[in-house]
Amino acid sequence: MENTEKKVMFSGIQPSGDLHLGNYLGAIRNWVALSDEYTCYYCIVDEHSITVRQNPAELRKRSTVQLAQYIACGLDPQKNTLFIQSHVHEHAELGWILNCYTMFGELSRMTQFKDKSAKNAENINGGLFTYPALMAADILLYNAHYVPVGADQKQHVELARDVAVRFNNIYGDTFVVPEPYIPKVGARIMSLSNPSSKMSKSDPAGCVFLMDSPDEISRKFKRAVTDSDTEHCVRYAPDEKPGVANLMGIYSSVTGKTFEEIETEFDGKGYGVFKPAVGDAVIEKLRPIREEAERMINDKEYLKGIYTEGAQRAEYVARKTLRKVTKRIGFVEKPF
């Protein structure tokens, strides 16, 4: 008989700032489509965020604002389990256990540890070094088959696989061994001010945030880098005209038009017409997302209900996994 049970997808989302157009077009929009095919868990990983110093009030605010933005982008809380990491204590408990099954050398090779250490030289703490073990716990708690990641996060999924296999070899079949899920489609959105770099919140001038006003979005696109082509020809040539190619990619993603159709639409019109048109298309694409997110942000009881129910659903699964793990390693069973 064919197994019709859905496979599990897990992703952890760090509340490090407002979401932007690159997040939406490159990842979140694809995640929405996955909820019919997979059982999906999307976690606001606030425990990971404190490896660098946070303003407590800002962290609390960002965690709920980001949840609102994800729902506004189409992640239906009835189809997806949406929750805050620190509300499910099994993450921290399994994270400690997996620390004891993760090798020092493996953690030392983590690229993000090296990068974050360089950026936070005054605060190279133990959590910054061992957080890949917590990330492995995040994934393994839910028996996740797949973890949607970009190339920069693939290393962490590989470590989670290694830890799962090591644990299974010692104690028998305990964890599902996860695989990175890299979607076949997904726009790679670059900075409007520097088209050689990905769009990032660290470059506000080149980054379009989901909560930007229409005026802010319009201004950013009018100032977007194109090229020194005196003809101002709208033509898709990534190597020759990376700025124009990026704008065409954005326009294609929000309108569904092909590059050929875009070239025809703007033939002979120049960048002075093209850039505002891209901005207008993005404004209309993001308008319902921004308006719905703003509505939810002002409805704190609604958001509390979502993350409360999500934590309850997540903990039901996480508790069963942790109970299996603690029994395997020899802990005395909890009396309650």
Side-chain angles (χ1 to χ4, degrees):
M1 180 183 289
E2 184 181 354
N3 183 6
T4 57
E5 187 177 339
K6 288 183 180 180
K7 292 197 171 181
V8 177
M9 183 84 68
F10 176 91
S11 183
I13 308 148
Q14 193 163 153
S16 57
D18 280 339
L19 301 175
H20 56 69
L21 185 65
N23 298 139
Y24 175 64
L25 297 179
I28 305 167
R29 191 167 64 170
N30 293 325
W31 295 355
V32 174
L34 297 174
S35 58
D36 289 326
E37 188 178 350
Y38 299 94
T39 297
C40 298
Y41 295 85
Y42 294 110
C43 172
I44 308 293
V45 289
D46 54 344
E47 290 176 354
H48 283 288
S49 70
I50 63 169
T51 58
V52 297
R53 294 288 177 261
Q54 301 287 340
N55 177 297
E58 281 297 308
L59 178 58
R60 273 189 290 272
K61 179 181 177 181
R62 286 199 309 267
S63 296
T64 53
V65 166
Q66 193 156 299
L67 176 63
Q69 290 176 336
Y70 272 84
I71 298 170
C73 285
L75 286 177
D76 185 341
Q78 299 306 312
K79 292 183 176 181
N80 305 274
T81 299
L82 308 175
F83 67 103
I84 296 173
Q85 182 186 28
S86 60
H87 291 175
V88 181
H89 62 82
E90 286 83 359
H91 285 258
E93 291 184 47
L94 184 59
W96 167 251
I97 292 170
L98 294 186
N99 265 327
C100 302
Y101 295 87
T102 306
M103 300 300 108
F104 187 90
E106 291 172 324
L107 295 172
S108 299
R109 290 191 289 273
M110 291 291 108
T111 303
Q112 286 203 354
F113 169 68
K114 297 173 185 176
D115 292 345
K116 287 193 175 184
S117 295
K119 293 176 184 175
N120 299 277
E122 75 292 345
N123 182 30
I124 304 176
N125 56 70
L128 194 63
F129 185 67
T130 64
Y131 82 94
L134 177 58
M135 189 177 291
D138 300 335
I139 297 165
L140 300 180
L141 270 174
Y142 301 98
N143 304 306
H145 298 89
Y146 299 108
V147 185
V149 290
D152 59 335
Q153 288 285 339
K154 190 177 177 183
Q155 188 183 33
H156 291 103
V157 182
E158 290 169 349
L159 178 63
R161 287 174 56 83
D162 291 342
V163 172
V165 169
R166 180 176 298 132
F167 195 96
N168 289 351
N169 286 340
I170 298 170
Y171 298 106
D173 189 20
T174 306
F175 294 123
V176 171
V177 180
E179 296 179 21
Y181 180 90
I182 301 174
K184 296 182 177 65
V185 292
R188 183 175 170 81
I189 307 300
M190 312 305 281
S191 166
L192 300 185
S193 59
N194 179 12
S196 64
S197 300
K198 283 178 66 176
M199 185 172 284
S200 168
K201 62 182 181 294
S202 62
D203 172 25
C207 183
V208 176
F209 295 99
L210 299 190
M211 304 303 283
D212 277 349
S213 69
D215 286 345
E216 288 172 313
I217 295 173
S218 180
R219 184 170 60 253
K220 287 177 181 179
F221 275 99
K222 285 177 181 176
R223 295 175 177 173
V225 169
T226 48
D227 56 47
S228 56
D229 185 344
T230 56
E231 296 180 358
H232 287 193
C233 174
V234 177
R235 177 170 58 87
Y236 190 73
D239 294 334
E240 300 171 40
K241 303 157 77 78
V244 175
N246 183 41
L247 293 174
M248 289 180 71
I250 293 171
Y251 193 66
S252 173
S253 293
V254 299
T255 64
K257 295 179 180 180
T258 66
F259 293 139
E260 292 78 8
E261 289 171 334
I262 296 169
E263 288 174 358
T264 300
E265 180 180 353
F266 294 98
D267 184 28
K269 293 183 180 177
Y271 301 155
V273 174
F274 175 55
K275 292 199 290 184
V278 179
D280 289 343
V282 170
I283 288 168
E284 291 313 308
K285 189 70 175 180
L286 297 186
R287 187 188 303 278
I289 294 173
R290 187 187 72 253
E291 291 175 351
E292 179 64 5
E294 287 173 346
R295 183 193 68 77
M296 284 187 283
I297 290 166
N298 291 323
D299 190 347
K300 293 181 172 55
E301 285 304 307
Y302 170 76
L303 287 176
K304 183 178 180 180
I306 295 298
Y307 65 66
T308 299
E309 182 182 346
Q312 290 169 343
R313 278 156 48 185
E315 188 168 35
Y316 176 77
V317 177
R319 189 186 306 123
K320 289 199 295 185
T321 302
L322 185 63
R323 187 180 296 129
K324 184 194 299 183
V325 169
T326 55
K327 183 177 181 180
R328 295 280 168 89
I329 62 176
F331 287 178
V332 174
E333 186 176 354
K334 281 185 178 180
F336 53 85

